[in-house]
Amino acid sequence: MPNEERIYNESMTGDDDETALEIAALQSESLLPPPKKEYIYHKEALTALLEEISQKKLKWIHRCDITSTEPVVVDKTEDDLDRELKFYQQGLEAAIQGKQAVIKAGVPFSRPDDYFAEMVKTDTHMAKIREKLLAQQQGIQNAEEAKKQRELRKYGKKIQQEKLKEREDKKKASLDKIATIKKRLRSGDLGDADDFEIDVDSDDDANFSTRSGATKRGGKLAPNKKRQNKNDRYGFGGKKRGLKRNTADSAGDITGFSVKRNKSGNFSGGSKKGKAKRPGKAKRQRGL
Amino acid sequence: MATLYKTATSEFMDVDDIREENDRQHKIKNRVLLVASRGVTFRHRHLMNDLEALLPHTKKEAKVEAKQDMDLLNELAEIQGCNNVFYFEARKHQDLFLWISRAPSGPSVKFHVQNIHTMDELKMTGNCLKGSRPLLSFDANFDSEPHLQLLKEMFTQTFGVPKGARKSKPFFDHVFTFSIVDGRVWFRNFQIVEKDPETGGSMKKNDKPTLVEIGPRFVLCPIRIFEGSFGGPTLYENPRYISPNSVRAAIKAQKSTKYANRVADTQDREIRAEANPMPADPFKDVFE
């Protein structure tokens, strides 16, 4: 029964802190006022009074009371789930018994489907409840999805590492091969070996570097890295105005935002280990 | 028609009897007056509104200040034509006490209301017709002691909606459960769902209904039972009741001892240090 489960999954823990404090306080008995010696309990008077006010002579349909067959016994009152389940069982028993009794008395029990009337909770309120339930379910789904993604990422990382290792191994193997060939050639024919060596070396690094560090691209000398960055920053060509200003997009951009980092409190970042701290004075002197 | 009726009455002697019984039953008018004291918080007020919505035989009154003169409430009940009074008394803008009294002759019970959850909370997903009659489900524990029996009778008369009450609807779609756990009365309100929870279609004949909680929830801790209405000799006193004031005081005392303990510890340490001075080191100056 999904309804039943739903009810008992929601334990209401609103007053938890308060109750914890109260329980702690109650356990330290000495702090409470000393218990009174005698408490009033006039059983006979109560029974007589009950007789006096009783409306038990009325027909059941006017009273609609049902007493459970089993008394409710809860081991631990704090155990929400167990307690609420007991209440539920008590209510269910009453509902089943009550229906029989009501029908026996000749009074309709269930509301016909075409009987519409004002409800205790308004439609807007019920819509809110539904919304909340949906949001809850959505949240659970999202969490599961995220979990799956995390697992996948973990697995993906493993694959990536394996691939990198494989590539390195391959490189190593080929270098070894070249080395052996070189060795063989050196021992065989020296004249030929020189040419071959240059070839091999030039194969190794893909792009030619000039002394200044500028990289040749398409026959034109590109500026070095520092210059490139400076150009990007201060402008080299293009519009100069408003580049550093926020636009609607940039203001709304939160890709650089990290909740973890924001909550960490320091601005050095989310990394757990920052710069090594200077040891305390005593420690330093001991070190000397 | 009149002649027809005359012949009918002469032919069937028990028609009169039926009418008489009907009349007698119509005279049972349990009406409940709902009154709050000054200083109720929003939660207390919402609880009152919930009860008003659920019990069509109630009449809500403006807030009263009845600290000194509780007899005022009896008068109010008489004016409003009510034979039961729910008086919600707030203390210190936080503690809620509920008086349930049969006006004007008693008895009356004073409860401490704890763990209030109103119907406004979105966790409780049930709903029912406004003014439909509830089934009253009592825990079998209620029959174990005279004071609990009295409580049961009073709850039946106040929470039970009389048959044919004004604004009431003729169907049963919810059940109030009263259970006793920890010597306190726990109140729950469940909707009786007579539909297949999976398909939403109508139920088979022998299927059990399911319950969905509507709210509100609260716990009533009985404090005292009086013979009169809002007064008179005490018939029962709850030995397990601890007033919220003393609970708060205990918490406060516990907190206050923290500082006192620390001060005492410091003083102790000083005394100990004085009593046991460090012995002089004979090798202190060996290397100088």
Side-chain angles (χ1 to χ4, degrees):
Chain A
M1 284 180 223
N3 277 337
E4 200 176 340
E5 275 166 31
R6 198 170 63 225
I7 296 168
Y8 297 115
N9 284 338
E10 309 163 350
S11 53
M12 307 219 171
T13 49
D15 315 318
D16 258 9
D17 295 344
E18 203 181 313
T19 41
L21 266 178
E22 279 177 17
I23 289 163
L26 291 178
Q27 274 163 356
S28 59
E29 299 258 336
S30 60
L31 293 168
L32 291 172
K36 266 206 299 190
K37 287 276 147 44
E38 277 179 26
Y39 289 91
I40 302 165
Y41 194 2
H42 297 306
K43 288 191 181 182
E44 293 80 24
L46 283 168
T47 335
L49 202 60
L50 177 64
E51 282 301 310
E52 199 185 311
I53 67 162
S54 172
Q55 293 179 348
K56 282 207 171 112
K57 280 173 201 154
L58 279 178
K59 278 188 176 170
W60 181 86
I61 194 67
H62 292 270
R63 293 170 54 85
C64 297
D65 62 327
I66 294 150
T67 309
S68 68
T69 46
E70 295 282 319
V72 169
V73 180
V74 177
D75 298 332
K76 264 180 82 182
T77 320
E78 291 83 46
D79 188 355
D80 285 352
L81 224 70
D82 180 41
R83 191 188 63 218
E84 296 301 324
L85 187 69
K86 295 275 165 61
F87 295 162
Y88 181 91
Q89 281 162 350
Q90 186 198 325
L92 192 64
E93 192 197 338
I96 294 165
Q97 270 188 32
K99 186 178 178 182
Q100 286 170 355
V102 167
I103 289 168
K104 207 174 149 194
V107 174
F109 182 83
S110 329
R111 169 171 68 128
D113 285 335
D114 55 353
Y115 184 95
F116 292 106
E118 193 187 356
M119 305 293 274
V120 162
K121 290 179 187 171
T122 57
D123 285 348
T124 46
H125 185 82
M126 290 310 282
K128 255 190 210 167
I129 291 173
R130 208 160 299 133
E131 223 165 75
K132 200 196 163 190
L133 274 178
L134 283 178
Q136 239 171 13
Q137 271 169 1
Q138 191 68 41
I140 292 168
Q141 266 177 14
N142 285 351
E144 265 170 17
E145 189 79 0
K147 206 175 172 187
K148 219 182 259 172
Q149 284 292 339
R150 265 200 301 276
E151 296 270 298
L152 273 179
R153 203 178 301 154
K154 237 185 233 168
Y155 188 63
K157 246 182 199 170
K158 230 181 220 168
I159 290 177
Q160 177 109 11
Q161 273 170 350
E162 267 167 24
K163 223 178 219 171
L164 278 176
K165 208 181 160 213
E166 202 180 308
R167 222 177 273 166
E168 217 149 81
D169 284 349
K170 224 182 203 172
K171 197 177 172 186
K172 215 175 176 183
S174 62
L175 279 177
D176 276 353
K177 222 182 205 172
I178 290 164
T180 48
I181 290 170
K182 263 198 241 171
K183 231 184 242 168
R184 213 176 50 213
L185 284 177
R186 215 174 275 151
S187 60
D189 195 342
L190 274 171
D192 260 12
D194 246 11
D195 286 346
F196 198 73
E197 202 169 359
I198 291 163
D199 246 337
V200 168
D201 273 347
S202 61
D203 245 349
D204 238 13
D205 38 6
N207 44 15
F208 306 118
S209 303
T210 59
R211 215 186 313 159
S212 64
T215 317
K216 201 174 183 183
R217 271 182 208 151
K220 211 177 183 185
L221 272 180
N224 61 17
K225 198 87 187 187
K226 191 178 176 188
R227 191 64 251 167
Q228 266 177 29
N229 279 339
K230 280 198 166 179
N231 284 348
D232 283 347
R233 189 166 180 188
Y234 302 112
F236 183 74
K239 195 171 80 171
K240 308 280 186 298
R241 276 171 293 112
L243 275 175
K244 292 190 216 167
R245 279 201 179 171
N246 260 345
T247 60
D249 284 341
S250 74
D253 182 22
I254 50 161
T255 47
F257 176 78
S258 141
V259 179
K260 200 173 161 194
R261 191 173 283 197
N262 187 40
K263 276 189 176 166
S264 73
N266 58 349
F267 294 100
S268 59
S271 60
K272 278 167 202 155
K273 267 189 193 169
K275 211 169 125 191
K277 273 188 190 137
R278 190 182 192 210
K281 190 167 187 184
K283 216 171 209 179
R284 274 185 281 128
Q285 279 175 342
R286 220 184 302 143
L288 286 173
Chain B
M1 279 311 276
T3 46
L4 252 177
Y5 179 73
K6 218 171 188 179
T7 47
T9 44
S10 57
E11 265 178 32
F12 304 103
M13 287 307 286
D14 47 6
V15 167
D16 268 347
D17 294 3
I18 292 167
R19 232 177 59 200
E20 204 179 272
E21 198 196 271
N22 277 345
D23 283 350
R24 206 172 61 233
Q25 283 169 355
H26 279 300
K27 267 174 200 155
I28 288 131
K29 268 191 184 168
N30 286 329
R31 288 197 69 193
V32 181
L33 184 73
L34 288 177
V35 200
S37 76
R38 283 180 56 205
V40 283
T41 64
F42 73 96
R43 192 181 280 261
H44 306 157
R45 202 175 57 241
H46 287 193
L47 176 68
M48 242 176 95
N49 288 342
D50 288 354
L51 287 180
E52 195 201 4
L54 286 170
L55 307 174
H57 61 296
T58 55
K59 175 88 181 80
K60 213 170 133 193
E61 240 315 315
K63 290 179 194 168
V64 292
E65 174 82 78
K67 249 180 193 164
Q68 288 84 33
D69 189 16
M70 300 279 270
D71 246 1
L72 183 75
L73 293 163
N74 289 331
E75 278 168 36
L76 266 179
E78 206 189 326
I79 292 166
Q80 298 286 356
C82 297
N83 61 344
N84 290 297
V85 183
F86 279 9
Y87 175 49
F88 292 87
E89 187 183 3
R91 293 268 176 85
K92 298 191 168 182
H93 297 282
Q94 49 184 349
D95 306 317
L96 184 69
F97 296 93
L98 170 65
W99 288 80
I100 296 182
S101 167
R102 277 173 58 92
S105 58
S108 52
V109 191
K110 190 185 183 189
F111 297 99
H112 178 212
V113 190
Q114 298 162 312
N115 293 8
I116 301 170
H117 294 275
T118 63
M119 247 174 3
D120 299 336
E121 285 175 27
L122 296 180
K123 279 177 179 167
M124 302 193 249
T125 52
N127 199 356
C128 65
L129 278 176
K130 195 169 186 176
S132 64
R133 298 180 62 201
L135 295 171
L136 303 175
S137 161
F138 288 96
D139 176 8
N141 285 328
F142 270 102
D143 291 336
S144 61
E145 304 243 14
H147 71 279
L148 295 176
Q149 283 170 356
L150 187 76
L151 288 185
K152 183 181 169 187
E153 184 59 33
M154 288 182 77
F155 287 143
T156 317
Q157 292 181 20
T158 49
F159 282 93
V161 177
K163 190 165 176 274
R166 203 171 61 93
K167 287 191 280 183
S168 73
K169 309 253 161 53
F171 306 110
F172 292 82
D173 60 355
H174 61 294
V175 50
F176 291 162
T177 67
F178 297 88
S179 322
I180 293 189
V181 175
D182 257 6
R184 290 179 285 191
V185 182
W186 299 63
F187 175 90
R188 296 285 182 270
N189 178 17
F190 294 103
Q191 178 193 359
I192 303 169
V193 181
E194 289 186 293
K195 283 199 171 132
D196 199 323
E198 252 107 70
T199 58
S202 54
M203 220 173 48
K204 279 178 215 134
K205 206 175 178 194
N206 291 328
D207 278 358
K208 275 186 186 176
T210 49
L211 301 185
V212 181
E213 188 162 3
I214 303 172
R217 287 179 170 191
F218 52 85
V219 179
L220 298 173
C221 180
I223 305 171
R224 265 167 195 260
I225 298 177
F226 300 97
E227 201 183 340
S229 174
F230 297 108
T234 306
L235 298 182
Y236 169 77
E237 239 179 322
N238 187 358
R240 289 175 66 187
Y241 168 71
I242 299 162
S243 86
N245 272 341
S246 50
V247 170
R248 274 193 294 271
I251 291 170
K252 225 173 165 184
Q254 217 173 28
K255 276 183 185 161
S256 75
T257 52
K258 198 176 156 192
Y259 175 69
N261 286 346
R262 207 169 60 224
V263 170
D265 282 350
T266 327
Q267 282 169 353
D268 272 0
R269 196 170 59 245
E270 275 164 10
I271 291 166
R272 263 204 318 281
E274 262 173 40
N276 309 305
M278 282 275 273
D281 187 2
F283 306 115
K284 196 181 166 194
D285 301 327
V286 168
F287 295 113
E288 282 182 9

